[in-house]
Amino acid sequence: MADQQKIHPVSAPEPEQEALPKPTAPLVPRNSSRSENGDPERQQPPPLKRSLTPYSPSKPTKKRSCCKRCLCWTCCLFFLLIILLGIAAAIIYFVFQPKIPKYSVDSIRITQFNLNNDMSLSATFNVNITARNPNKKIGIYYENGSHLSVRYKGTNLCEGSLPKFYQGHKNTTLLNVNLTGRTENATNLLQLLQEDRQRGKIPLNIRVKVPVRIKLGKLKLMKWKFLLKCRLNVDNLSQDNVIRIRDNKCTVRFRF
């Protein structure tokens, strides 16, 4: 039996590496530093990172803060004053139980009402007014500076003033007031007056403005003004004649 041939692998000879030519120029230029990461010209710069900071509004100046504080304190004091006034008014109402005074025109007497040669009208009235104070704990001081007038269709016929006096609790006072006046160019006024006289109803308005002081117990308050308006109808305005008052209505308002 013939001997079997043995085949042994033979490694192929490695190809010889060609010798690289020596560089004739340095890899790193002169006057520059060598980098371990490679060529600095080929490296890409790292991406920029944006730093996001939260938005904070600008702080108000000291001047604005002071103005806001002053405004806040002013509003608080104003509301506090309103509350105190409301409490005081409630105490006065429940303790003194104030009531509005009542007035009425009782009678009118005319001593002069004639047409002069210059077509002017002279008038002298005497008016009786009743003032009633229904309050149990409140008195009324009627001060100087009052004004009372009698008007017919917007024209002043005569005027005068109330006397100065004090009206106590639950008191009724009768006031006798003399009024005088003069109206220029009264021809048309007399014609209108004659027409109303034929109808038997002459409208008159009596207006009174009087400064008063209210007395609560022993306390005398500040000065107020009473505004009194009385509307009445009479049958005639003849001199030295009985004048009949057909209806009479008075209203009162207060003003500082």
mmCIF file of all heavy atoms in Angstrom, residues 195-221:
data_model
loop_
_atom_site.group_PDB
_atom_site.id
_atom_site.type_symbol
_atom_site.label_atom_id
_atom_site.label_comp_id
_atom_site.label_asym_id
_atom_site.label_seq_id
_atom_site.Cartn_x
_atom_site.Cartn_y
_atom_site.Cartn_z
ATOM 1 N N GLU A 195 -107.669 137.001 35.371
ATOM 2 C CA GLU A 195 -108.206 135.763 34.788
ATOM 3 C C GLU A 195 -108.324 134.668 35.853
ATOM 4 O O GLU A 195 -109.326 133.943 35.908
ATOM 5 C CB GLU A 195 -107.311 135.297 33.634
ATOM 6 C CG GLU A 195 -107.317 136.236 32.441
ATOM 7 C CD GLU A 195 -106.342 135.804 31.366
ATOM 8 O OE1 GLU A 195 -105.651 134.764 31.573
ATOM 9 O OE2 GLU A 195 -106.250 136.484 30.323
ATOM 10 N N ASP A 196 -107.267 134.522 36.701
ATOM 11 C CA ASP A 196 -107.323 133.505 37.752
ATOM 12 C C ASP A 196 -108.373 133.864 38.812
ATOM 13 O O ASP A 196 -109.004 132.966 39.399
ATOM 14 C CB ASP A 196 -105.952 133.359 38.416
ATOM 15 C CG ASP A 196 -104.932 132.703 37.509
ATOM 16 O OD1 ASP A 196 -105.342 131.962 36.592
ATOM 17 O OD2 ASP A 196 -103.705 132.920 37.697
ATOM 18 N N ARG A 197 -108.574 135.137 39.040
ATOM 19 C CA ARG A 197 -109.587 135.553 40.016
ATOM 20 C C ARG A 197 -110.980 135.169 39.544
ATOM 21 O O ARG A 197 -111.838 134.769 40.359
ATOM 22 C CB ARG A 197 -109.488 137.053 40.263
ATOM 23 C CG ARG A 197 -110.465 137.568 41.321
ATOM 24 C CD ARG A 197 -110.355 139.070 41.462
ATOM 25 N NE ARG A 197 -109.017 139.465 41.896
ATOM 26 C CZ ARG A 197 -108.614 140.744 41.949
ATOM 27 N NH1 ARG A 197 -109.443 141.727 41.600
ATOM 28 N NH2 ARG A 197 -107.400 141.021 42.363
ATOM 29 N N GLN A 198 -111.237 135.287 38.261
ATOM 30 C CA GLN A 198 -112.535 134.899 37.722
ATOM 31 C C GLN A 198 -112.761 133.392 37.864
ATOM 32 O O GLN A 198 -113.905 132.953 38.033
ATOM 33 C CB GLN A 198 -112.632 135.314 36.261
ATOM 34 C CG GLN A 198 -112.699 136.834 36.069
ATOM 35 C CD GLN A 198 -112.708 137.232 34.610
ATOM 36 O OE1 GLN A 198 -112.620 136.373 33.721
ATOM 37 N NE2 GLN A 198 -112.821 138.536 34.352
ATOM 38 N N ARG A 199 -111.678 132.621 37.779
ATOM 39 C CA ARG A 199 -111.802 131.176 37.986
ATOM 40 C C ARG A 199 -111.972 130.845 39.470
ATOM 41 O O ARG A 199 -112.348 129.727 39.813
ATOM 42 C CB ARG A 199 -110.564 130.456 37.445
ATOM 43 C CG ARG A 199 -110.334 130.621 35.956
ATOM 44 C CD ARG A 199 -109.223 129.694 35.484
ATOM 45 N NE ARG A 199 -108.868 129.942 34.106
ATOM 46 C CZ ARG A 199 -107.813 130.640 33.702
ATOM 47 N NH1 ARG A 199 -107.006 131.194 34.635
ATOM 48 N NH2 ARG A 199 -107.555 130.833 32.425
ATOM 49 N N GLY A 200 -111.636 131.793 40.346
ATOM 50 C CA GLY A 200 -111.754 131.559 41.781
ATOM 51 C C GLY A 200 -110.609 130.762 42.371
ATOM 52 O O GLY A 200 -110.751 130.186 43.466
ATOM 53 N N LYS A 201 -109.468 130.753 41.688
ATOM 54 C CA LYS A 201 -108.324 129.968 42.160
ATOM 55 C C LYS A 201 -107.036 130.647 41.715
ATOM 56 O O LYS A 201 -106.649 130.580 40.552
ATOM 57 C CB LYS A 201 -108.409 128.549 41.589
ATOM 58 C CG LYS A 201 -107.489 127.553 42.257
ATOM 59 C CD LYS A 201 -107.764 126.162 41.703
ATOM 60 C CE LYS A 201 -106.902 125.124 42.387
ATOM 61 N NZ LYS A 201 -107.164 123.751 41.854
ATOM 62 N N ILE A 202 -106.361 131.314 42.665
ATOM 63 C CA ILE A 202 -105.110 132.015 42.371
ATOM 64 C C ILE A 202 -103.960 131.245 43.016
ATOM 65 O O ILE A 202 -103.909 131.127 44.253
ATOM 66 C CB ILE A 202 -105.148 133.463 42.906
ATOM 67 C CG1 ILE A 202 -106.320 134.228 42.271
ATOM 68 C CG2 ILE A 202 -103.834 134.172 42.630
ATOM 69 C CD1 ILE A 202 -106.525 135.613 42.848
ATOM 70 N N PRO A 203 -103.023 130.682 42.213
ATOM 71 C CA PRO A 203 -101.921 129.898 42.796
ATOM 72 C C PRO A 203 -100.806 130.800 43.332
ATOM 73 O O PRO A 203 -100.372 131.743 42.673
ATOM 74 C CB PRO A 203 -101.421 129.059 41.614
ATOM 75 C CG PRO A 203 -101.739 129.890 40.409
ATOM 76 C CD PRO A 203 -103.008 130.644 40.737
ATOM 77 N N LEU A 204 -100.361 130.516 44.551
ATOM 78 C CA LEU A 204 -99.248 131.235 45.167
ATOM 79 C C LEU A 204 -98.216 130.229 45.668
ATOM 80 O O LEU A 204 -98.568 129.120 46.115
ATOM 81 C CB LEU A 204 -99.729 132.101 46.338
ATOM 82 C CG LEU A 204 -100.666 133.266 46.026
ATOM 83 C CD1 LEU A 204 -101.062 133.980 47.317
ATOM 84 C CD2 LEU A 204 -100.026 134.252 45.056
ATOM 85 N N ASN A 205 -96.965 130.646 45.621
ATOM 86 C CA ASN A 205 -95.870 129.841 46.163
ATOM 87 C C ASN A 205 -95.142 130.652 47.230
ATOM 88 O O ASN A 205 -94.724 131.786 46.977
ATOM 89 C CB ASN A 205 -94.877 129.454 45.066
ATOM 90 C CG ASN A 205 -95.458 128.447 44.090
ATOM 91 O OD1 ASN A 205 -96.287 127.620 44.462
ATOM 92 N ND2 ASN A 205 -95.048 128.523 42.837
ATOM 93 N N ILE A 206 -94.993 130.065 48.388
ATOM 94 C CA ILE A 206 -94.243 130.694 49.484
ATOM 95 C C ILE A 206 -92.975 129.866 49.718
ATOM 96 O O ILE A 206 -93.060 128.655 49.976
ATOM 97 C CB ILE A 206 -95.087 130.773 50.771
ATOM 98 C CG1 ILE A 206 -96.302 131.669 50.527
ATOM 99 C CG2 ILE A 206 -94.257 131.301 51.932
ATOM 100 C CD1 ILE A 206 -97.215 131.794 51.739
ATOM 101 N N ARG A 207 -91.837 130.528 49.629
ATOM 102 C CA ARG A 207 -90.550 129.857 49.806
ATOM 103 C C ARG A 207 -89.810 130.485 50.988
ATOM 104 O O ARG A 207 -89.740 131.712 51.101
ATOM 105 C CB ARG A 207 -89.700 129.953 48.540
ATOM 106 C CG ARG A 207 -90.307 129.216 47.343
ATOM 107 C CD ARG A 207 -89.358 129.190 46.169
ATOM 108 N NE ARG A 207 -89.924 128.459 45.044
ATOM 109 C CZ ARG A 207 -89.272 128.234 43.890
ATOM 110 N NH1 ARG A 207 -88.029 128.707 43.752
ATOM 111 N NH2 ARG A 207 -89.854 127.559 42.930
ATOM 112 N N VAL A 208 -89.262 129.605 51.823
ATOM 113 C CA VAL A 208 -88.549 130.046 53.020
ATOM 114 C C VAL A 208 -87.194 129.347 53.063
ATOM 115 O O VAL A 208 -87.127 128.118 52.919
ATOM 116 C CB VAL A 208 -89.342 129.735 54.309
ATOM 117 C CG1 VAL A 208 -88.600 130.269 55.526
ATOM 118 C CG2 VAL A 208 -90.748 130.307 54.223
ATOM 119 N N LYS A 209 -86.142 130.144 53.259
ATOM 120 C CA LYS A 209 -84.799 129.616 53.510
ATOM 121 C C LYS A 209 -84.331 130.151 54.855
ATOM 122 O O LYS A 209 -84.235 131.368 55.035
ATOM 123 C CB LYS A 209 -83.821 130.049 52.419
ATOM 124 C CG LYS A 209 -84.132 129.501 51.041
ATOM 125 C CD LYS A 209 -83.108 129.973 50.017
ATOM 126 C CE LYS A 209 -83.441 129.460 48.628
ATOM 127 N NZ LYS A 209 -82.445 129.937 47.618
ATOM 128 N N VAL A 210 -84.073 129.244 55.786
ATOM 129 C CA VAL A 210 -83.725 129.674 57.135
ATOM 130 C C VAL A 210 -82.586 128.797 57.668
ATOM 131 O O VAL A 210 -82.661 127.572 57.596
ATOM 132 C CB VAL A 210 -84.956 129.607 58.068
ATOM 133 C CG1 VAL A 210 -85.617 128.246 58.030
ATOM 134 C CG2 VAL A 210 -84.574 129.982 59.484
ATOM 135 N N PRO A 211 -81.509 129.428 58.189
ATOM 136 C CA PRO A 211 -80.446 128.640 58.836
ATOM 137 C C PRO A 211 -80.867 128.227 60.237
ATOM 138 O O PRO A 211 -81.421 129.031 60.989
ATOM 139 C CB PRO A 211 -79.250 129.608 58.853
ATOM 140 C CG PRO A 211 -79.860 130.965 58.811
ATOM 141 C CD PRO A 211 -81.153 130.850 58.056
ATOM 142 N N VAL A 212 -80.594 126.979 60.590
ATOM 143 C CA VAL A 212 -80.983 126.442 61.891
ATOM 144 C C VAL A 212 -79.817 125.649 62.488
ATOM 145 O O VAL A 212 -78.900 125.219 61.787
ATOM 146 C CB VAL A 212 -82.226 125.528 61.781
ATOM 147 C CG1 VAL A 212 -83.422 126.296 61.261
ATOM 148 C CG2 VAL A 212 -81.931 124.321 60.904
ATOM 149 N N ARG A 213 -79.881 125.479 63.794
ATOM 150 C CA ARG A 213 -78.973 124.589 64.527
ATOM 151 C C ARG A 213 -79.818 123.597 65.320
ATOM 152 O O ARG A 213 -80.790 123.991 65.974
ATOM 153 C CB ARG A 213 -78.062 125.383 65.473
ATOM 154 C CG ARG A 213 -76.985 126.184 64.763
ATOM 155 C CD ARG A 213 -76.088 126.873 65.767
ATOM 156 N NE ARG A 213 -75.096 127.712 65.142
ATOM 157 C CZ ARG A 213 -73.881 127.294 64.753
ATOM 158 N NH1 ARG A 213 -73.538 126.033 64.972
ATOM 159 N NH2 ARG A 213 -73.047 128.112 64.186
ATOM 160 N N ILE A 214 -79.415 122.337 65.238
ATOM 161 C CA ILE A 214 -80.143 121.286 65.929
ATOM 162 C C ILE A 214 -79.495 121.041 67.293
ATOM 163 O O ILE A 214 -78.273 120.936 67.415
ATOM 164 C CB ILE A 214 -80.148 119.987 65.099
ATOM 165 C CG1 ILE A 214 -80.719 120.265 63.701
ATOM 166 C CG2 ILE A 214 -80.964 118.912 65.785
ATOM 167 C CD1 ILE A 214 -82.120 120.771 63.678
ATOM 168 N N LYS A 215 -80.335 120.939 68.328
ATOM 169 C CA LYS A 215 -79.854 120.670 69.679
ATOM 170 C C LYS A 215 -80.265 119.259 70.078
ATOM 171 O O LYS A 215 -81.447 118.946 70.202
ATOM 172 C CB LYS A 215 -80.441 121.696 70.660
ATOM 173 C CG LYS A 215 -79.912 121.545 72.069
ATOM 174 C CD LYS A 215 -80.530 122.569 73.011
ATOM 175 C CE LYS A 215 -80.003 122.398 74.432
ATOM 176 N NZ LYS A 215 -80.633 123.351 75.366
ATOM 177 N N LEU A 216 -79.242 118.389 70.271
ATOM 178 C CA LEU A 216 -79.459 117.019 70.708
ATOM 179 C C LEU A 216 -79.107 116.930 72.196
ATOM 180 O O LEU A 216 -77.928 116.887 72.554
ATOM 181 C CB LEU A 216 -78.603 116.044 69.902
ATOM 182 C CG LEU A 216 -78.827 116.039 68.380
ATOM 183 C CD1 LEU A 216 -77.849 115.099 67.710
ATOM 184 C CD2 LEU A 216 -80.261 115.661 68.052
ATOM 185 N N GLY A 217 -80.101 116.924 73.031
ATOM 186 C CA GLY A 217 -79.816 116.945 74.459
ATOM 187 C C GLY A 217 -79.176 118.274 74.846
ATOM 188 O O GLY A 217 -79.786 119.332 74.761
ATOM 189 N N LYS A 218 -77.892 118.223 75.246
ATOM 190 C CA LYS A 218 -77.134 119.433 75.546
ATOM 191 C C LYS A 218 -76.132 119.779 74.450
ATOM 192 O O LYS A 218 -75.397 120.756 74.577
ATOM 193 C CB LYS A 218 -76.394 119.267 76.868
ATOM 194 C CG LYS A 218 -77.319 119.123 78.067
ATOM 195 C CD LYS A 218 -76.529 119.031 79.365
ATOM 196 C CE LYS A 218 -77.447 118.910 80.564
ATOM 197 N NZ LYS A 218 -76.679 118.842 81.844
ATOM 198 N N LEU A 219 -76.115 118.981 73.398
ATOM 199 C CA LEU A 219 -75.164 119.184 72.300
ATOM 200 C C LEU A 219 -75.811 120.006 71.190
ATOM 201 O O LEU A 219 -76.899 119.665 70.705
ATOM 202 C CB LEU A 219 -74.698 117.835 71.752
ATOM 203 C CG LEU A 219 -73.712 117.864 70.591
ATOM 204 C CD1 LEU A 219 -72.396 118.524 71.001
ATOM 205 C CD2 LEU A 219 -73.453 116.453 70.066
ATOM 206 N N LYS A 220 -75.134 121.083 70.792
ATOM 207 C CA LYS A 220 -75.610 121.952 69.720
ATOM 208 C C LYS A 220 -74.787 121.674 68.464
ATOM 209 O O LYS A 220 -73.575 121.886 68.435
ATOM 210 C CB LYS A 220 -75.471 123.421 70.137
ATOM 211 C CG LYS A 220 -76.206 124.398 69.231
ATOM 212 C CD LYS A 220 -76.109 125.799 69.811
ATOM 213 C CE LYS A 220 -76.844 126.807 68.940
ATOM 214 N NZ LYS A 220 -76.750 128.180 69.495
ATOM 215 N N LEU A 221 -75.457 121.190 67.418
ATOM 216 C CA LEU A 221 -74.766 120.761 66.210
ATOM 217 C C LEU A 221 -74.465 121.942 65.293
ATOM 218 O O LEU A 221 -74.805 123.089 65.571
ATOM 219 C CB LEU A 221 -75.614 119.720 65.467
ATOM 220 C CG LEU A 221 -75.936 118.430 66.224
ATOM 221 C CD1 LEU A 221 -76.727 117.490 65.339
ATOM 222 C CD2 LEU A 221 -74.671 117.766 66.734
#
